Amino acid sequence: MSTPTSARPSRRSLQRSLHRPLGLTAALALPLAALVACGDGATEGASPAARPAPSGAPSSSSSPSGATAAPAAPTEVATDTPRLVVTYEGGDIGVFDATTLEPVADLELPGYNRVNAAGDGRHVLVSTTGGFQVLDAGTWEEPHGDHGHYYTSDPVLTDVVHEAVKPAHVVTHAGRTALFDDGTGASVVVDSASIADPDAQARVVEAPAAHHGVAVEMADGRLVTTEGTEDERSTIVLRDAGGAEIARTDDCPGMHGEATAADEVAVVGCEDGIVIVRGEELLKVAAPDAYGRIGNQAGSDTSPVVLGDYKRDADAEVPEPTQTVSLTDTATGELQLVDLPSSYTFRSLGRGEDGEALVLGTDGSLHVVDEETGELERSIPVVAAWTEPEDWQEPRPALRVHEGTAYVTEPATREVHAVDVETGEVFATAALEQVPDEVVVATGTAAEGAPEGEHAHEGEHEDHEHEDEAAEESTR
């Protein structure tokens, strides 16, 4: 499985209080396959039950030794216990303690799997054949008055699958989780706290045609969605909480990716700049080049500035290596380009605890950039130098950040590293038996506004089955 070395809690982890501020958790679950693209509009209502995995599927939970194991009863713990979820090349998923990188479980799921946080601190959504399958990372918080109670249990792939023809982007914000189906163009938004509930209420927005798109709901109910076709996409639509259209723009060719920033602002990337969603306005910020693609972004609730990639070659058969990133100030509409010591890829962007821009370079270093000035503050050596693979689905070093710790995968050595962003110390490394691909964190904490718990072991799953099928890829 894996062998952690030099493991110790980070300094910031040790400084956390046992009773952290309570957060908001919400509710989800809607099969997307039923949302055949036909017209344009928003509806709300109870979603039909999510599809269970077929009976007879292989066991979805196993102990670190690889033996099949039934889910253990939850154990109350003193504080939050974040867990790292890592996909492997060719299939299967590993779960680790995010502080020590000790292995927790191996989950069997053949195929090309992609993972996204579900927004409730406990679950992870796995984009696989037929939809978004809910993975219970086995760590959560139950708010109780002025404090929270924390629990852990065995991770498990649940039998809840939110159907989608081509499961693609998952966006969580302000206690809401938006699922986008590239196969229909439909968006489904639900309360994050009910991600494993097949009967949750959902907000549904259908699209005129299938396309590779995205959706995000803001805290006040404003909803950003996209429209396009399989061949062309350039439209962004903003709706109010009731579903009425507020604004739209067709001036975002090749639109891709999103992020949220301070003061409830969102952005969507284009091939010639970026669109800022601020209040009831859609503001286009043009790139300094005729073709200046900002297709992947990383935002922070503590900063109005959004970090983005930046590519100038419209004719490249594969994404060309670039040493330039973009910093867009969503408050002023200013776009700044910053040159780095090395190139990077779409899995290289992250944000620090204080809003700093983080970029994992092909030189093996984590580059820390002041998001306001664009100044390169320092470069932290983490992994060996590497080259971007030609196929976007091939594993390459990936970055994920949680509360001052940067998690970096290293496919070439089959390792994952934990880095204290402030001190630059690589304080834990796990050696893996398989090649790592994508990585995500289940925080173990409830989001703001979560319903109070009963000190019971809610959310246990009785039948933990999953599909024994090859996973459906989604286009980057």
Side-chain angles (χ1 to χ4, degrees):
M1 169 66 188
S2 64
T3 305
T5 60
S6 307
R8 69 156 180 80
S10 69
R11 182 174 58 79
R12 291 193 182 187
S13 297
L14 294 173
Q15 289 176 340
R16 297 177 196 155
S17 166
L18 294 182
H19 293 164
R20 61 172 56 228
L22 300 183
L24 173 139
T25 321
L28 172 172
L30 176 77
L32 296 182
L35 306 178
V36 178
C38 55
D40 160 22
T43 58
E44 296 192 21
S47 67
R51 172 176 58 82
S55 59
S59 170
S60 60
S61 177
S62 62
S63 67
S65 65
T68 301
T75 299
E76 185 164 8
V77 293
T79 187
D80 56 301
T81 307
R83 284 177 170 173
L84 202 65
V85 178
V86 180
T87 65
Y88 297 127
E89 182 182 29
D92 298 344
I93 298 171
V95 183
F96 303 82
D97 183 293
T99 301
T100 65
L101 296 189
E102 290 280 355
V104 178
D106 273 333
L107 307 176
E108 297 178 0
L109 188 62
Y112 179 66
N113 305 310
R114 309 200 71 187
V115 287
N116 289 277
D120 64 346
R122 173 174 181 170
H123 295 93
V124 168
L125 291 171
V126 183
S127 297
T128 186
T129 301
F132 302 90
Q133 186 163 358
V134 179
L135 186 157
D136 184 350
T139 181
W140 69 95
E141 174 191 7
E142 292 180 3
H144 189 75
D146 61 354
H147 64 281
H149 287 248
Y150 302 94
Y151 299 90
T152 62
S153 66
D154 286 349
V156 66
L157 275 162
T158 76
D159 59 2
V160 177
V161 178
H162 305 292
E163 294 182 355
V165 176
K166 292 183 179 178
H169 284 278
V170 175
V171 178
T172 63
H173 179 71
R176 297 282 281 174
T177 300
L179 308 178
F180 196 90
D181 183 354
D182 281 2
T184 63
S187 308
V188 173
V189 189
V190 296
D191 284 345
S192 304
S194 297
I195 191 72
D197 178 3
D199 299 316
Q201 296 287 313
R203 181 178 186 176
V204 180
V205 176
E206 299 175 355
H211 66 284
H212 184 51
V214 71
V216 57
E217 184 176 290
M218 310 307 291
D220 59 3
R222 285 174 298 135
L223 180 65
V224 182
T225 59
T226 59
E227 293 181 2
T229 67
E230 293 183 354
D231 299 321
E232 183 178 357
R233 54 188 193 273
S234 61
T235 301
I236 302 171
V237 182
L238 177 64
R239 295 179 172 86
D240 64 18
E245 184 174 313
I246 301 173
R248 77 165 48 216
T249 180
D250 297 318
D251 189 21
C252 188
M255 63 83 188
H256 187 276
E258 57 67 45
T260 56
D263 301 320
E264 283 300 301
V265 175
V267 299
V268 179
C270 317
E271 289 180 348
D272 60 355
I274 198 166
V275 170
I276 300 174
V277 184
R278 188 170 58 206
E280 297 186 349
E281 295 181 323
L282 299 176
L283 172 66
K284 174 66 175 290
V285 179
D289 300 285
Y291 182 90
R293 184 179 188 268
I294 305 175
N296 299 278
Q297 310 87 28
S300 169
D301 291 339
T302 67
S303 172
V305 178
V306 172
L307 168 67
D309 58 3
Y310 193 78
K311 293 175 180 175
R312 293 184 170 96
D313 187 356
D315 298 321
E317 293 184 5
V318 297
E320 79 282 8
T322 176
Q323 295 184 214
T324 302
V325 293
S326 60
L327 295 172
T328 304
D329 190 326
T330 60
T332 65
E334 297 178 355
L335 190 155
Q336 178 183 11
L337 299 183
V338 177
D339 291 329
L340 297 175
S342 73
S343 61
Y344 60 91
T345 74
F346 71 100
R347 288 188 181 140
S348 293
L349 306 181
R351 299 302 291 270
E353 193 171 22
D354 299 320
E356 60 268 47
L358 305 176
V359 184
L360 179 63
T362 56
D363 60 355
S365 293
L366 181 64
H367 301 293
V368 183
V369 178
D370 185 298
E371 80 281 10
E372 295 180 353
T373 67
E375 178 183 355
L376 177 62
E377 295 183 338
R378 61 191 183 279
S379 296
I380 304 169
V382 182
V383 300
W386 51 283
T387 302
E388 178 176 6
E390 291 188 2
D391 187 341
W392 73 267
Q393 293 159 312
E394 291 183 59
R396 82 279 314 280
L399 170 68
R400 189 70 66 169
V401 186
H402 174 63
E403 291 193 340
T405 297
Y407 299 96
V408 178
T409 62
E410 190 170 10
T413 60
R414 297 188 178 185
E415 291 179 319
V416 59
H417 311 279
V419 184
D420 188 311
V421 175
E422 182 175 335
T423 67
E425 180 184 5
V426 180
F427 66 84
T429 291
L432 313 176
E433 292 182 0
Q434 300 188 62
V435 176
D437 191 10
E438 292 197 340
V439 59
V440 71
V441 178
T443 66
T445 59
E448 182 182 351
E452 291 196 4
E454 303 277 344
H455 299 312
H457 304 139
E458 300 176 351
E460 293 182 53
H461 306 284
E462 294 179 0
D463 297 315
H464 303 289
E465 300 175 336
H466 72 283
E467 294 187 84
D468 184 19
E469 302 178 59
E472 179 82 22
E473 74 176 45
S474 62
T475 303
R476 176 163 64 98

